[in-house]
Amino acid sequence: MTWLTRRHAFSASHRLHRDRLNPEANGRVFGKCNQAHGHGHNYVLEVTVAGEPDPQSGVLVSPAAIDACVREAVLARLDHTHLNDLPEFTAQTPTTENLAIQIGRRIAGSWRATGRVRLAKLRLEETGSNAVELDLHGHEGND
Amino acid sequence: MTWLTRRHAFSASHRLHRDRLNPEANGRVFGKCNQAHGHGHNYVLEVTVAGEPDPQSGVLVSPAAIDACVREAVLARLDHTHLNDLPEFTAQTPTTENLAIQIGRRIAGSWRATGRVRLAKLRLEETGSNAVELDLHGHEGND
Amino acid sequence: MTWLTRRHAFSASHRLHRDRLNPEANGRVFGKCNQAHGHGHNYVLEVTVAGEPDPQSGVLVSPAAIDACVREAVLARLDHTHLNDLPEFTAQTPTTENLAIQIGRRIAGSWRATGRVRLAKLRLEETGSNAVELDLHGHEGND
Amino acid sequence: MTWLTRRHAFSASHRLHRDRLNPEANGRVFGKCNQAHGHGHNYVLEVTVAGEPDPQSGVLVSPAAIDACVREAVLARLDHTHLNDLPEFTAQTPTTENLAIQIGRRIAGSWRATGRVRLAKLRLEETGSNAVELDLHGHEGND
Amino acid sequence: MTWLTRRHAFSASHRLHRDRLNPEANGRVFGKCNQAHGHGHNYVLEVTVAGEPDPQSGVLVSPAAIDACVREAVLARLDHTHLNDLPEFTAQTPTTENLAIQIGRRIAGSWRATGRVRLAKLRLEETGSNAVELDLHGHEGND
Amino acid sequence: MTWLTRRHAFSASHRLHRDRLNPEANGRVFGKCNQAHGHGHNYVLEVTVAGEPDPQSGVLVSPAAIDACVREAVLARLDHTHLNDLPEFTAQTPTTENLAIQIGRRIAGSWRATGRVRLAKLRLEETGSNAVELDLHGHEGND
C-alpha cells in the first residue's frame, strides 16, 4: 500500500459561538474564540490518498487531480472567507473539527472513486499547535 | 553590537476595504482580501533589540522584559480580534504594512529606553509567503 | 473517528549513562550522549486524542483541557530541568524512548477518561531528525 | 509498541518520461516534469522502526544503526545524482512513488531483522506539498 | 522605511562544472556537485522591496505586482528546468551565487521603478543549510 | 556585494548562574534558567560571509570551507556538552549572548581572511522564539 499526500493552505476567519447559549455560557465553552467579530487563521490542509501505483506510469494518482479536487471543493469555497457566513455553518459552529468534517464531505463528494485509489485521510492544521485528522476511507460518494 | 530577537504569534482577522472607494475600486485594489466579512491569519511577530550585553550578567536584556512589552502592547490588544474593530483601523485599512506600523508605535510607546539597549526592528509575517519589516531605531518614546 | 493533536515544547538536559556499565561500555552504547555533564534539547511534544466531536458544540475536547493536562503532568515537571535528577530516571536512563514512556504514563494518569474521547498517541521529537511515537490507547488510568 | 523515526535529506534530479509514449502523451501524463533535461528536489526521507525498547538500556535501536543503514543503502547511492541514470530507473520512471518503493527495497535488503525491532514505514517528501508513504512491515529480507 | 518580502519556490537541477578544467580539477572545486548528469534542489526565493506605504491605501506595493514580476522573470524561466541548458549558464556555472545574480538581473530588468518603492534585496535558499543574499538597491533598469 | 550563509545545529546544556549572587538574586535575574543542574537546547547556528564571487568559478567561497571552520571551531568543542564546563564559561555565564560572542571569536580566530571574502555576521538561535545576532565584520584575526 502506498499513500500520497498533497498540502494546501488557505486563510479564513471564524467566530466560535452558539446562538442557543447565553453570553456567559458561550464564553465558558469557547473562551477568547467567542469574541464578537471573530479572528482568523492560516489553515494548512493535507489530503492523503491510498492505493497501488500504476505499474506502467509509476504514478498512484496525478498530483494535479488531487489539487484540482481540493481547489474546487475547498479553496474556491473557503479561502479568504468568514466561515460563519457559509450555509453549512449556520446551524453548526465552525470549530476545527466541524470544518474538517465539512471539508472531508466536500472532497469525498467530488472525488471520483476508482478501484485502484481511494481517499485515505485528511489533516487540518489551524495553528502550529492545533490540528485535526479524519479518516476518509469509505466516505467517497457519501456526501 | 548584539541583536536579540523574540518571536510571538497571534491570530486575527481583517478586511481590506476603504469606505471612500466604490465596490469596483475596492475589488481592484484589494482583490479577494476585500470580501465582505473578512478572513484571517496566524501572524508571527519578531521584535529585535540591539545594544551591548551587560558585562556582568552577559545579558543584553531579559527576554521576559521584551515578552512582557509584547504581551501588553500587542497580544492583549490584537490576539483573537477582528482588526477592523480597533479604533486605529477606523480611518486606516489594516493592511500588513499599517498593522506593522501600529504595532511598532505601541511597542515603542511602552518600551522603556535605556542607554544600553534600544529597539532595532520589527518583522510581521502574515503568511509563509508575505512579511513586512520596519526599522524601529529612534522611534522609542515617539508614540 | 476524529483525532485532535496539541503541540507543546520544553527544554531539558540529560546524560545517557548506566551505572552498571564501565566507561568503555557506556561510550560504546551511548556515544557522545554519554559525555560527563550531559547536553540538552528543545523537545517538541504532540499529544493526540480521538473520539467523536460533541454534536452540539462541534468540539471533540477543549484544547484548554489537553493543555492543562500537559502543563501539569509534563511541563511543570520537565521544563528547564536536568532529566537525570528526576526519581523516574534514577534506575532508568532518560533516553528519548524512556522519556516518552514516562510522559505517556503521567498524561494517562492525569487524563480523565470519558466515554466519548480517549488518549490516542504521543509523539516526542528530540531534534529535527529524531522522534519517538507511542500508542496511548488503553493506557488511561493504568499509571 | 514504540516507534522511532530518523530523518535524512538528499538532493537529486529526475525526468518523468516513458520511452514508449510519444511526446504528446508524455506531456499529458507528466506535465512540466517531462521537460527534456529534468529538474530536481531536496528530498526528505523519514525511516520508522517499531518494537519494544530494551528494558536495560531503554533504547529501541541505536539511531546510529538506522543512520548507517540509510547512508549505505540510500544516500551513498542517490545523493547528488540524476535518478534516471540508475539501473533501477532504466525500465521504471523515477516518480516519487517508484523512488520510495526502490528506497524501501534497499533499506529492507540491508536491514538486519531482529526479533525485537522491525522496519515499520518510510516517508519520502519531494517538496513541502508532496509526500509519499509506504508500509515497510514484512518487507525485511524480501529484496 | 518599510520592507515587504514575498516568498516563492521552484524546482530545478544543475551541474557545477567548468569546461576549461580537467576532471580532477572540476572534482576538486565542485566536489559531488560535479557529478555527470547533475542533481537538483527545491529553491526558495525571497524578493524584498522597500519604501513608504501609500498613505491612502496603506499599501507599499501590491503583493500581486511582485508576484507577477517573479513569475514572469523567474519562475516561467527556471521552474522545472535543468539550469545548465539556459543561455546565461553556457559561459557561467550555475552556482547558487551566479543563479542569484541572474535572478536579480531579470527581476531588476522587469521591475518598474517608481519614486516611492524600490527593489531592496533578494535571498535564494538552495537547501535548508545554504543560502545566498544580494543587495538589489540601485540595480533597477540596469539589466 | 553577495552574502553566503551556512546553517549548522548542535545540542548542549547550560545553567544560567553567577557565583557572586545569592540564590534569591540568581533566581530573580535568570528565572527558571537558574535551576540547579541546568537544562538544554538544540542550537541553530548561521554563519554569513560576504564578498564578490570569483568571476571564473562563480563561487564566493566553498561551502566546505565554511563548514570545516564551523566544525573545527564550534561543533567539535560545543556539541553534546554542558557549556558551563568549558573554560570560557568559568568566569562568564553561558547566556545566548555570551555563547554567540565566544562562537564569533572562535570562528574569527580560525577564519583565514582573504581580500575577496570576509566574515559578515553570525546568528545563534536557542529556541524557535529566541535568537541572537552579531556583526563579525572586522573581527577576523582578533581572537
Side-chain angles (χ1 to χ4, degrees):
Chain A
M1 184 71 81
T2 301
W3 287 264
L4 177 72
T5 298
R6 296 290 293 173
R7 181 184 287 179
H8 290 268
F10 63 93
S11 294
S13 59
H14 65 167
R15 183 197 182 194
L16 301 190
H17 178 82
R18 295 188 61 216
D19 288 343
R20 294 192 193 172
L21 301 180
N22 62 29
E24 289 71 25
N26 267 305
R28 201 170 51 240
V29 176
F30 297 118
K32 61 185 176 179
C33 300
N34 183 245
Q35 293 189 14
H37 294 121
H39 61 282
H41 301 288
N42 302 324
Y43 290 93
V44 177
L45 172 66
E46 293 182 354
V47 175
T48 301
V49 300
E52 297 299 333
D54 176 82
Q56 304 226 318
S57 67
V59 166
L60 183 62
V61 64
S62 155
I66 306 180
D67 294 354
C69 171
V70 171
R71 275 201 208 94
E72 181 194 305
V74 183
L75 305 186
R77 187 172 180 79
L78 303 181
D79 190 27
H80 279 72
T81 66
H82 183 58
L83 299 172
N84 303 57
D85 291 345
L86 299 173
E88 57 266 44
F89 295 120
T90 305
Q92 274 200 321
T93 310
T95 59
T96 317
E97 292 90 330
N98 279 345
L99 180 56
I101 290 168
Q102 290 295 339
I103 288 174
R105 275 187 198 161
R106 296 222 163 242
I107 288 176
S110 71
W111 182 256
R112 291 181 303 260
T114 69
R116 203 166 48 79
V117 183
R118 59 173 180 77
L119 289 175
K121 65 177 183 178
L122 170 161
R123 184 176 190 275
L124 180 66
E125 193 175 294
E126 191 192 61
T127 69
S129 56
N130 197 59
V132 163
E133 273 190 64
L134 289 185
D135 192 340
L136 291 182
H137 183 36
H139 288 267
E140 297 94 333
N142 296 335
D143 189 21
Chain B
M1 184 69 82
T2 302
W3 288 263
L4 177 72
T5 297
R6 297 290 293 173
R7 181 185 285 180
H8 291 267
F10 63 94
S11 294
S13 59
H14 64 168
R15 182 197 183 193
L16 302 190
H17 178 83
R18 295 188 63 215
D19 288 343
R20 292 193 194 172
L21 301 179
N22 62 30
E24 288 70 26
N26 268 303
R28 201 172 49 240
V29 177
F30 297 118
K32 61 184 176 179
C33 300
N34 182 245
Q35 293 189 14
H37 294 122
H39 61 282
H41 301 288
N42 302 323
Y43 290 93
V44 177
L45 172 66
E46 293 182 353
V47 175
T48 301
V49 300
E52 297 299 333
D54 176 82
Q56 304 226 317
S57 68
V59 166
L60 182 62
V61 65
S62 156
I66 306 180
D67 293 355
C69 171
V70 172
R71 276 200 208 95
E72 181 194 304
V74 183
L75 304 187
R77 187 171 180 82
L78 302 181
D79 190 27
H80 278 72
T81 66
H82 183 59
L83 299 172
N84 303 56
D85 291 345
L86 299 174
E88 58 265 45
F89 295 119
T90 305
Q92 274 199 321
T93 311
T95 59
T96 317
E97 292 89 330
N98 279 344
L99 180 57
I101 290 168
Q102 290 295 339
I103 288 174
R105 274 186 198 160
R106 297 224 164 240
I107 288 175
S110 72
W111 182 256
R112 290 181 303 261
T114 69
R116 205 166 46 79
V117 183
R118 58 173 180 78
L119 290 175
K121 65 177 182 177
L122 171 162
R123 185 176 189 276
L124 181 66
E125 193 174 294
E126 192 193 60
T127 68
S129 56
N130 197 58
V132 162
E133 273 189 62
L134 290 185
D135 192 339
L136 291 182
H137 183 36
H139 289 266
E140 297 94 333
N142 296 335
D143 189 22
Chain C
M1 183 70 80
T2 302
W3 287 264
L4 177 71
T5 297
R6 296 290 291 173
R7 180 184 287 179
H8 291 267
F10 63 95
S11 295
S13 59
H14 66 166
R15 183 198 182 192
L16 302 190
H17 178 84
R18 296 188 61 216
D19 288 344
R20 292 193 194 172
L21 300 180
N22 62 30
E24 288 71 25
N26 267 304
R28 201 171 50 240
V29 177
F30 296 118
K32 62 185 176 179
C33 300
N34 183 246
Q35 293 189 15
H37 294 120
H39 60 282
H41 301 289
N42 302 323
Y43 290 93
V44 177
L45 173 66
E46 293 183 354
V47 176
T48 302
V49 300
E52 297 299 335
D54 176 83
Q56 304 226 317
S57 68
V59 165
L60 181 62
V61 64
S62 156
I66 306 181
D67 293 354
C69 171
V70 171
R71 274 200 210 96
E72 181 195 303
V74 183
L75 304 187
R77 186 172 179 80
L78 302 181
D79 190 27
H80 278 73
T81 66
H82 183 58
L83 299 172
N84 303 57
D85 292 344
L86 299 173
E88 57 266 44
F89 295 120
T90 305
Q92 273 199 323
T93 310
T95 58
T96 317
E97 292 90 330
N98 279 344
L99 180 57
I101 291 169
Q102 291 295 339
I103 288 174
R105 276 187 198 160
R106 297 222 164 242
I107 288 175
S110 71
W111 182 256
R112 290 182 304 261
T114 70
R116 205 168 46 79
V117 182
R118 60 172 179 78
L119 290 175
K121 66 177 182 176
L122 171 162
R123 185 176 189 276
L124 181 65
E125 192 174 294
E126 192 191 60
T127 68
S129 55
N130 197 58
V132 163
E133 273 190 63
L134 289 185
D135 192 339
L136 291 183
H137 182 36
H139 288 266
E140 297 94 333
N142 295 334
D143 188 21
Chain D
M1 183 70 81
T2 302
W3 287 264
L4 177 71
T5 297
R6 297 289 293 173
R7 181 183 286 178
H8 291 267
F10 63 94
S11 294
S13 59
H14 64 167
R15 183 197 182 193
L16 302 189
H17 178 83
R18 295 188 63 218
D19 288 342
R20 292 192 195 174
L21 301 179
N22 62 29
E24 288 70 26
N26 267 304
R28 202 171 51 240
V29 177
F30 297 117
K32 62 184 175 179
C33 300
N34 182 245
Q35 292 189 14
H37 294 121
H39 60 283
H41 301 288
N42 302 324
Y43 291 93
V44 177
L45 173 66
E46 293 183 353
V47 175
T48 301
V49 300
E52 297 300 334
D54 176 83
Q56 304 225 318
S57 67
V59 165
L60 182 62
V61 64
S62 156
I66 306 180
D67 293 354
C69 172
V70 171
R71 275 199 208 97
E72 181 193 304
V74 182
L75 305 186
R77 187 172 180 79
L78 302 181
D79 190 26
H80 279 73
T81 66
H82 182 57
L83 299 172
N84 303 57
D85 291 343
L86 299 174
E88 58 265 45
F89 295 120
T90 304
Q92 275 200 322
T93 310
T95 59
T96 317
E97 293 89 330
N98 279 344
L99 180 57
I101 290 168
Q102 290 295 339
I103 288 174
R105 275 185 198 162
R106 296 220 164 243
I107 288 176
S110 71
W111 182 255
R112 290 181 303 261
T114 69
R116 203 167 47 79
V117 183
R118 60 173 179 77
L119 290 176
K121 66 177 180 175
L122 171 162
R123 185 175 190 276
L124 180 65
E125 193 173 293
E126 192 191 62
T127 69
S129 56
N130 197 60
V132 163
E133 273 190 64
L134 290 185
D135 193 339
L136 291 183
H137 182 36
H139 288 267
E140 297 93 333
N142 295 335
D143 188 19
Chain E
M1 182 72 81
T2 302
W3 288 265
L4 176 72
T5 298
R6 296 290 293 174
R7 181 185 285 180
H8 292 268
F10 64 93
S11 294
S13 59
H14 66 167
R15 182 197 183 194
L16 303 189
H17 177 83
R18 295 187 63 216
D19 288 342
R20 292 193 196 173
L21 300 180
N22 62 29
E24 289 71 25
N26 268 303
R28 202 172 50 239
V29 177
F30 296 118
K32 62 184 176 180
C33 300
N34 183 245
Q35 293 189 14
H37 295 121
H39 60 283
H41 301 288
N42 302 322
Y43 290 93
V44 177
L45 173 66
E46 293 183 353
V47 175
T48 302
V49 301
E52 296 300 333
D54 176 83
Q56 304 225 318
S57 67
V59 165
L60 182 61
V61 64
S62 156
I66 306 180
D67 293 355
C69 171
V70 171
R71 275 200 208 95
E72 181 194 304
V74 183
L75 304 186
R77 186 172 181 80
L78 302 182
D79 190 26
H80 278 71
T81 66
H82 183 59
L83 299 172
N84 303 57
D85 291 345
L86 299 173
E88 58 265 45
F89 295 120
T90 304
Q92 274 199 323
T93 310
T95 58
T96 317
E97 292 90 329
N98 279 345
L99 180 56
I101 291 169
Q102 290 295 340
I103 289 173
R105 276 187 197 159
R106 296 221 165 244
I107 289 175
S110 70
W111 182 256
R112 290 181 303 261
T114 68
R116 205 167 44 80
V117 183
R118 59 173 178 79
L119 289 175
K121 66 177 181 176
L122 170 162
R123 186 177 188 274
L124 181 65
E125 193 174 293
E126 192 193 59
T127 68
S129 55
N130 197 58
V132 163
E133 273 189 64
L134 290 185
D135 192 340
L136 291 183
H137 183 35
H139 289 267
E140 297 93 333
N142 295 335
D143 189 21
Chain F
M1 184 71 81
T2 302
W3 288 264
L4 177 72
T5 297
R6 297 289 293 172
R7 181 184 286 180
H8 291 266
F10 63 93
S11 294
S13 58
H14 65 167
R15 182 196 183 194
L16 301 190
H17 179 83
R18 295 188 62 217
D19 288 342
R20 292 193 196 173
L21 300 180
N22 62 30
E24 289 71 25
N26 267 303
R28 201 172 51 240
V29 177
F30 297 117
K32 61 184 176 178
C33 300
N34 183 244
Q35 292 189 14
H37 294 120
H39 60 283
H41 301 288
N42 302 323
Y43 290 94
V44 177
L45 172 66
E46 293 183 353
V47 175
T48 302
V49 300
E52 296 299 333
D54 176 83
Q56 305 226 318
S57 68
V59 165
L60 183 62
V61 64
S62 157
I66 306 180
D67 294 355
C69 171
V70 171
R71 277 201 207 94
E72 181 194 305
V74 183
L75 304 187
R77 187 173 181 81
L78 302 181
D79 189 28
H80 279 71
T81 66
H82 183 58
L83 299 172
N84 303 57
D85 291 345
L86 298 174
E88 58 266 45
F89 295 119
T90 305
Q92 275 200 321
T93 309
T95 58
T96 316
E97 292 89 330
N98 279 344
L99 180 56
I101 291 168
Q102 291 295 338
I103 288 173
R105 276 187 196 160
R106 296 222 164 242
I107 288 175
S110 71
W111 182 257
R112 290 182 303 261
T114 69
R116 206 167 44 81
V117 183
R118 59 172 179 78
L119 290 174
K121 67 177 180 176
L122 171 161
R123 186 176 189 275
L124 181 66
E125 193 174 293
E126 193 192 60
T127 68
S129 56
N130 198 59
V132 163
E133 273 190 63
L134 289 186
D135 192 338
L136 291 183
H137 183 37
H139 289 266
E140 296 95 332
N142 296 335
D143 189 21

